[in-house]
Amino acid sequence: MILHIDMDAFFASVEQLDHPEYRGKPVVVGGDPQSRGVVSTASYEARQFGIRSAMPAAEAYRLCPDAIFIRPRMTRYQEVSAMIMGILRHHAQKLLVVSVDEAYLDVTHYPFGSSNAVMIARLIKQNIQAITHLTASAGVAPNMFLAKIASEFQKPDGLTVIAPDQVEAFLRDLPVRKIPGVGPVTESRLQKMGIHTCSDLQKAGHLYLHERLGKQGIFLYKRALGIDEREVESDGEARQSSTEETFARDVLDVRFLQTRLELFAHELYAQLQAEGRMGRTVVLKLKYFDFELITRSQTLGRFPQSAEDIYAVAENLLTKKTLAGKKPVRLIGLGLSGLGELSEEPAAASQLELNL
Ligand code: TTP
Ligand code: MG
């Protein structure tokens, strides 16, 4: 069985943790409502007013002028995220961290099947609560796709299990927009074909879907049947030099993509720095909603000296060399290649000293 863990209203919950006076109140983390800022996330209290991620902050302000509006503090969220992922690492050899507040664990190797998976999920939720004072929602299911849907099913502080014999019933009336990767564009395309739920996808058949939607059609057909062949491949102890995220909904908002890249840049820099390594080539990867995959890269004269250095290059690639903002994005990734030991670059370091 696979476990999916997703923190509840993550950025907003961290703010409520650090500022007890915000607890129980509507909190909106994001850009400035006075200018053209966008909502990153909202506390569950704020969601009662209809405030949602990716909404213009000005609209959030109209919905609830009394809400507490705050700018994101990425470094702090990163710190808490590292703590949470540390807890998860104790519970499974195979752990795949997919975003700042989300991870998959493969617990298949534990004996006693799904009941044990549920016990582990419960234990993980308790551990996270005890150590960070934050709540997470968990999904337990036979594969990654179903586990993700399960963790979203009862938020916040939820625990949903989809046992193998419940998969068919669970998917029957599931709206297509619940399939991670289906955004408004794909949803309306499907609607025009009369397809609203997973059973509609099943009935349409793979030939028809392939003909109309190509690779994406096959992907949707498989998901509608509850099939997901991906394996939870452990990112290995701090071995990775890239990080990526597939969004639950396709993203058109460039500022959101920028925020993600900023976070990735901090993650990558901190990780490689800790390993005594660095890379000179910044690689940006995007997969558009129609599954077209592109990479754009730029090689620097020397190792980046900070997370901001990496972000600046990535951001430039994003805005100048891709269709971000024009074509919805399904996946974004950032990596560094041309890896070397930090100690191998004395030339650049002394160069720097000479320049001072
Ligand atoms: P999510 O897990 O999608 O959202 P969430 O944790 O705030 O709320 P919940 O899971 O309970 O529904 O995203 C994790 C964090 O990523 C979120 O706290 C803020 C950030 N984020 C954005 O900055 N912009 C966005 O559009 C989304 C969806 C998330
Ligand atoms: Mg979350």
Side-chain angles (χ1 to χ4, degrees):
M1 294 291 270
I2 307 294
L3 237 87
H4 181 254
I5 304 283
D6 186 325
M7 301 302 295
D8 301 320
F10 185 52
F11 294 3
S13 303
V14 175
E15 294 302 337
Q16 288 177 323
L17 175 72
D18 291 351
H19 305 94
E21 68 275 21
Y22 295 171
R23 293 180 198 164
K25 298 202 172 131
V27 172
V28 180
V29 181
D32 185 357
Q34 308 301 330
S35 60
R36 293 164 36 111
V38 174
V39 173
S40 295
T41 196
S43 67
Y44 277 79
E45 294 85 357
R47 292 183 198 194
Q48 287 179 358
F49 294 86
I51 300 175
R52 295 283 179 270
S53 289
M55 165 185 283
E59 190 182 338
Y61 184 80
R62 270 195 302 279
L63 289 168
C64 181
D66 293 334
I68 300 156
F69 287 84
I70 33 188
R71 299 296 95 77
R73 293 181 299 143
M74 291 301 171
T75 319
R76 174 70 179 134
Y77 308 145
Q78 200 55 59
E79 188 180 281
V80 180
S81 170
M83 223 147 84
I84 294 158
M85 300 313 165
I87 298 169
L88 298 186
R89 224 172 274 284
H90 282 291
H91 293 274
Q93 284 153 350
K94 285 189 178 175
L95 169 74
L96 180 66
V97 177
V98 284
S99 88
V100 68
D101 84 326
E102 210 188 320
Y104 294 92
L105 289 81
D106 187 337
V107 292
T108 317
H109 62 284
Y110 283 104
F112 313 128
S114 58
S115 62
N116 206 4
V118 178
M119 265 164 47
I120 298 166
R122 218 171 266 142
L123 194 63
I124 287 177
K125 277 167 55 80
Q126 283 167 4
N127 279 186
I128 293 178
Q129 169 88 53
I131 295 172
T132 67
H133 306 292
L134 297 172
T135 61
S137 292
V140 179
N143 62 43
M144 291 171 72
F145 156 63
L146 293 165
K148 173 149 176 103
I149 299 215
S151 77
E152 272 175 23
F153 197 67
Q154 300 177 60
K155 260 183 166 292
D157 202 14
L159 171 55
T160 303
V161 184
I162 309 177
D165 60 358
Q166 297 170 328
V167 172
E168 210 183 311
F170 196 89
L171 288 176
R172 201 169 297 135
D173 299 318
L174 193 77
V176 287
R177 86 180 104 79
K178 293 278 179 191
I179 301 176
V182 174
V185 178
T186 306
E187 188 187 6
S188 84
R189 259 183 167 180
L190 290 169
Q191 262 167 9
K192 281 186 197 124
M193 300 179 214
I195 296 171
H196 305 277
T197 62
C198 283
S199 12
D200 294 339
L201 278 170
Q202 291 176 16
K203 281 183 217 131
H206 75 282
L207 286 177
Y208 173 81
L209 291 168
H210 183 247
E211 190 185 308
R212 299 293 295 264
L213 299 165
K215 267 192 202 168
Q216 190 187 18
I218 299 297
F219 164 85
L220 292 170
Y221 183 68
K222 281 189 179 165
R223 292 296 185 266
L225 287 173
I227 300 171
D228 180 0
E229 284 133 351
R230 288 174 301 163
E231 298 224 349
V232 178
E233 282 173 28
S234 182
D235 44 16
E237 286 289 304
R239 286 269 107 208
Q240 98 204 96
S241 59
S242 70
T243 173
E244 64 178 47
E245 179 177 358
T246 302
F247 301 118
R249 312 261 172 277
D250 300 333
V251 175
L252 203 50
D253 179 5
V254 180
R255 276 166 300 192
F256 176 49
L257 297 174
Q258 288 166 330
T259 317
R260 275 304 195 254
L261 285 181
E262 196 181 348
L263 206 64
F264 291 171
H266 278 92
E267 266 174 41
L268 278 175
Y269 188 78
Q271 201 164 66
L272 285 169
Q273 181 87 8
E275 293 171 32
R277 300 194 298 164
M278 206 40 77
R280 285 188 191 80
T281 304
V282 177
V283 185
L284 170 71
K285 176 162 114 178
L286 285 191
K287 195 188 266 181
Y288 296 112
F289 77 103
D290 57 2
F291 281 60
E292 185 196 352
L293 181 70
I294 61 155
T295 58
R296 301 285 181 262
S297 63
Q298 189 179 332
T299 302
L300 308 173
R302 59 172 187 168
F303 286 147
Q305 306 293 304
S306 64
E308 286 72 24
D309 277 3
I310 301 174
Y311 173 64
V313 176
E315 201 270 340
N316 190 48
L317 289 171
L318 180 78
T319 49
K320 306 261 165 62
K321 303 266 168 73
T322 74
L323 293 174
K326 300 192 186 79
K327 192 167 166 178
V329 171
R330 167 180 165 71
L331 170 152
I332 186 164
L334 181 64
L336 284 187
S337 65
L339 294 187
E341 303 287 321
L342 268 173
S343 54
E344 273 170 19
E345 207 180 43
S350 54
Q351 187 93 42
L352 193 69
E353 277 158 25
L354 284 180
N355 289 343
L356 289 174

